[in-house]
Amino acid sequence: MIKVSRVRIISFIIFFIICCVGVRSADNLSNRVPEEKLKLVKILPAKEEERIYFKLSPIIGVDGQDNVYAMLNFESLIFKMDSSGRLLKQIGQFGLGPGDMNIPFLMKIKNDRLFVLDSIGISIFFLDGKFEKKFRVFQFPRGFDIFKDMIVLMEFDSKGSPPFNLYTFDGKKQATFGSLYKLNYKLFKQLDKYMVIHTAHDGKVLCDDNYIYFISYLFGEVFKYDSKGNLIQKKKIEGLDETNNNIIKLNIDRFFISGQSRSKPNKYGSGTGLKASSLFGDAAIHGDRIYLLPASGDYGQILAIDKDRFAVEKKYTYLEDGDSEESFFTSVYLCMKNDSKNGKLSFFISGFNKDDNYIWWYTAGDNVR
Amino acid sequence: MNDIKADEKKSFSITKRYLFFSLLFSACGVCLLLVSYFQYKSSSCEKMMNEAVREGEIKIPAAYQAGRWAIYLVKNANLCCHPLLGYEKIKSSDRTRVAIFVSNDYTDNDIENFKDAFQVPAAHRVARLKDFDLMNLKDICGYKAESQYNILMLLKPDSTVELLRRF
């Protein structure tokens, strides 16, 4: 009798375990994010184009005619290429005058204009390379995008003023809004306050027709503001892998719990002394999604997140056979558009692979969303 | 045997010590020379300015003869990397009047944004460099139009140049 009841208990336990495992795997299956391997269209610049050479991974942009713009920040110039990778025009040069650039570090193409943020301010060019206007920036800029007919510039001062400033294209400040991470500067010994606030807000400003987004590269969060500057959503990105979640925990500890003190310079004698690990190398907005280019964890992939739920909806892989994670540097930039011929989603990624810096043009099966 | 080894060690360490101290002294000497050279260079500029004022080569306009003045010539300034030298301190001093001359290519919006960023009080004059009435100082102190440097000049009430710094 006892033996029978023991057998029953054991079989019940086994059944229970099987049920648990089954539910769990079913749950995993339902949460599985669809993946797609991107198809390589071409590598830019064209092999026979000897006038273009990327000393570093260029910051990239694409216009409606499939022309690709590659900006080299140390050389302070932009190569405008056609879709075959042939040089159409060289825009800008190092300097302080009109049309010159001074270590540019961000570029946007919108409203048939090319917007360039450098260490002096924002320069606006027509797409044929003709200089239009420039205004100066006096705070510490982090990023910018074009929102309707305005420039949203994320910049910091030492007083902790709201970080987003809306400027007209003439540089007239129209509005100030937003509040991001509140830092306790006592946790950062011997570290420059500007450097701390700037590093803690490593991320990207993106705009669509209705909203302004800030994607935090350190804490994996998205801030969403409406056109009046009201914060309407702040949420952690769902569906990041374990490596990324561990990086987020580490960054939270470094910036909000333990803090940091000035560390020794690295072996090259440089470095801010501030430790921070970025989750993403770049981000882009297109259609209903925000696309993230991981710098760690999901490396070799592009994560597509929903613009409302901020959950990973799809993963695109771009590493070719024989490419290893090590063959790419993390300084890669992403740019998106719909192919003008077939409406398919196109991805432009710049980076270093094996021997040189290139721009890879990939296409996905997705049509315009 | 051990004594010989100890002696060798001792003599070697004495030579090493001499070498170390001589290197240290020569490094200090080079540092001192460099410091005095730069001090001489900066003070010579101020001296030359004052001589030029005394000899009438430079005429300090009457507007700058009343009180102590801080004059900034700004090519490129921002809060993070090129702050205005000593501006916070000068701002808090009631006795120092301030005039800031920015590059001629600053638009009206740039000047407004500049004032906003640096919290320039209404009493401080901000104008373009073309309105600066002491422009001939550039010939004396090598302040060239194409250089990226900013300049701070402190004028005493007796129209002598107290300080002239590039930043």
Side-chain angles (χ1 to χ4, degrees):
Chain A
M1 189 68 185
I2 295 165
K3 270 186 183 174
V4 173
S5 65
R6 263 190 194 168
V7 169
R8 270 185 191 168
I9 291 165
I10 290 165
S11 52
F12 176 76
I13 291 168
I14 291 167
F15 176 72
F16 182 75
I17 291 167
I18 289 168
C19 282
C20 286
V21 170
V23 167
R24 180 105 192 216
S25 47
D27 195 39
N28 277 349
L29 275 175
S30 65
N31 281 345
R32 208 180 215 177
V33 176
E35 282 188 23
E36 185 185 336
K37 188 157 185 346
L38 294 174
K39 198 179 147 197
L40 182 68
V41 179
K42 62 184 73 167
I43 298 173
L44 308 173
K47 269 185 185 170
E48 58 277 11
E49 182 52 84
E50 289 174 351
R51 292 169 293 174
I52 302 175
Y53 176 67
F54 303 144
K55 275 190 187 169
L56 290 170
S57 300
I59 296 149
I60 47 177
V62 192
D63 67 16
Q65 279 74 50
D66 292 348
N67 297 317
V68 181
Y69 300 74
M71 185 167 82
L72 302 178
N73 63 345
F74 280 107
E75 271 119 334
S76 298
L77 62 86
I78 298 167
F79 291 119
K80 180 181 176 180
M81 292 173 275
D82 64 11
S83 55
S84 65
R86 286 281 197 172
L87 182 71
L88 292 176
K89 196 166 180 68
Q90 191 174 306
I91 303 167
Q93 59 176 7
F94 181 80
L96 291 172
D100 292 345
M101 293 183 254
N102 203 301
I103 321 291
F105 54 94
L106 278 174
M107 175 174 67
K108 291 275 170 187
I109 294 167
K110 263 188 190 175
N111 301 11
D112 292 327
R113 298 283 194 285
L114 178 66
F115 299 84
V116 177
L117 175 61
D118 66 6
S119 65
I120 309 289
I122 293 181
S123 296
I124 305 171
F125 296 87
F126 293 104
L127 292 183
D128 62 3
K130 203 176 147 198
F131 172 74
E132 188 184 7
K133 56 182 104 176
K134 179 172 193 161
F135 70 88
R136 288 171 183 265
V137 170
F138 298 101
Q139 296 183 24
F140 203 171
R142 175 84 258 186
F144 82 104
D145 202 353
I146 313 305
F147 183 64
K148 301 178 194 287
D149 289 330
M150 308 279 266
I151 293 170
V152 186
L153 181 64
M154 187 187 191
E155 52 185 346
F156 301 101
D157 61 15
S158 61
K159 302 181 293 290
S161 305
F164 292 104
N165 289 318
L166 268 179
Y167 290 95
T168 63
F169 291 171
D170 292 319
K172 192 170 176 62
K173 200 187 272 185
Q174 297 290 312
T176 295
F177 64 92
S179 65
L180 296 173
Y181 298 113
K182 286 191 172 66
L183 299 159
N184 178 6
Y185 295 105
K186 286 177 188 165
L187 292 175
F188 302 91
K189 287 169 195 161
Q190 297 173 299
L191 283 165
D192 181 52
K193 203 175 171 184
Y194 274 119
M195 198 49 75
V196 172
I197 194 165
H198 200 257
T199 310
H201 292 91
D202 182 15
K204 184 126 183 180
V205 181
L206 295 169
C207 298
D208 59 16
D209 292 342
N210 303 309
Y211 300 105
I212 298 156
Y213 303 83
F214 171 69
I215 291 111
S216 165
Y217 288 175
L218 296 194
F219 311 112
E221 286 183 313
V222 184
F223 295 71
K224 187 175 177 180
Y225 294 91
D226 66 12
S227 58
K228 288 176 183 163
N230 301 313
L231 180 69
I232 53 168
Q233 224 176 335
K234 180 192 168 190
K235 206 169 170 241
K236 193 177 169 240
I237 298 166
E238 287 174 25
L240 295 177
D241 72 2
E242 205 184 326
T243 314
N244 281 324
N245 285 324
N246 288 336
I247 289 171
I248 292 170
K249 277 182 202 163
L250 187 67
N251 286 330
I252 288 172
D253 182 60
R254 283 165 171 171
F255 283 88
F256 299 105
I257 301 164
S258 308
Q260 297 183 50
S261 55
R262 192 171 186 86
S263 58
K264 284 177 187 168
N266 62 23
K267 62 180 176 181
Y268 305 107
S270 63
T272 62
L274 197 61
K275 287 177 195 155
S277 309
S278 289
L279 299 169
F280 310 113
D282 202 3
I285 197 162
H286 190 77
D288 295 340
R289 288 171 172 168
I290 292 169
Y291 296 84
L292 305 167
L293 191 68
S296 51
D298 294 307
Y299 205 72
Q301 295 186 328
I302 294 161
L303 310 178
I305 63 166
D306 182 273
K307 280 201 303 195
D308 296 314
R309 295 186 303 117
F310 306 130
V312 178
E313 280 190 333
K314 193 167 181 178
K315 290 181 180 180
Y316 297 92
T317 57
Y318 63 88
L319 288 184
E320 291 296 306
D321 295 337
D323 282 340
S324 64
E325 290 183 9
E326 293 78 30
S327 65
F328 274 91
F329 277 138
T330 51
S331 57
V332 285
Y333 299 95
L334 172 71
C335 182
M336 315 278 311
K337 77 176 289 290
N338 287 318
D339 195 300
S340 58
K341 287 167 196 152
N342 55 24
K344 302 271 185 199
L345 197 58
S346 292
F347 296 76
F348 296 81
I349 301 167
S350 77
F352 181 89
N353 189 13
K354 290 172 189 142
D355 55 346
D356 243 324
N357 294 288
Y358 301 102
I359 297 168
W360 290 269
W361 179 352
Y362 293 101
T363 187
D366 299 358
N367 275 312
V368 185
R369 278 182 50 131
Chain B
M1 191 68 182
N2 281 341
D3 289 346
I4 294 164
K5 268 190 178 174
D7 278 352
E8 270 176 7
K9 212 175 177 182
K10 210 177 170 183
S11 66
F12 179 69
S13 66
I14 285 167
T15 324
K16 222 176 168 184
R17 222 177 284 169
Y18 272 125
L19 199 70
F20 172 75
F21 279 115
S22 55
L23 274 172
L24 191 74
F25 281 126
S26 40
C28 287
V30 169
C31 286
L32 278 170
L33 271 171
L34 279 172
V35 167
S36 51
Y37 170 72
F38 283 113
Q39 264 186 351
Y40 166 76
K41 249 202 125 180
S42 57
S43 66
S44 71
C45 185
E46 285 146 17
K47 270 182 200 165
M48 278 159 68
M49 280 282 296
N50 285 329
E51 263 174 41
V53 171
R54 231 178 292 134
E55 285 166 16
E57 283 175 36
I58 296 177
K59 281 180 186 161
I60 306 275
Y64 297 115
Q65 288 176 12
R68 193 168 181 261
W69 276 89
I71 298 167
Y72 285 95
L73 307 183
V74 177
K75 284 276 169 65
N76 176 32
N78 54 45
L79 289 176
C80 74
C81 314
H82 298 283
L84 291 181
L85 181 70
Y87 188 57
E88 288 305 312
K89 206 176 168 187
I90 287 170
K91 214 160 47 170
S92 62
S93 158
D94 296 334
R95 289 183 304 158
T96 310
R97 296 193 197 181
V98 179
I100 302 167
F101 295 94
V102 295
S103 281
N104 292 331
D105 65 343
Y106 276 53
T107 62
D108 290 347
N109 289 330
D110 286 338
I111 291 177
E112 280 311 306
N113 294 336
F114 175 89
K115 285 181 184 172
D116 188 36
F118 287 100
Q119 295 190 302
V120 178
H124 293 184
R125 184 187 172 202
V126 181
R128 291 188 184 88
L129 208 58
K130 64 177 182 195
D131 299 324
F132 182 49
D133 30 21
L134 263 173
M135 235 5 236
N136 49 357
L137 85 95
K138 74 177 181 182
D139 306 327
I140 294 165
C141 295
Y143 180 72
K144 290 174 187 159
E146 64 269 20
S147 80
Q148 288 195 39
Y149 295 110
N150 306 305
I151 292 236
L152 165 64
M153 183 165 64
L154 289 180
L155 289 179
K156 281 185 189 173
D158 61 357
S159 295
T160 53
V161 179
E162 185 185 339
L163 178 122
L164 202 137
R165 286 282 179 278
R166 211 166 64 165
F167 64 96

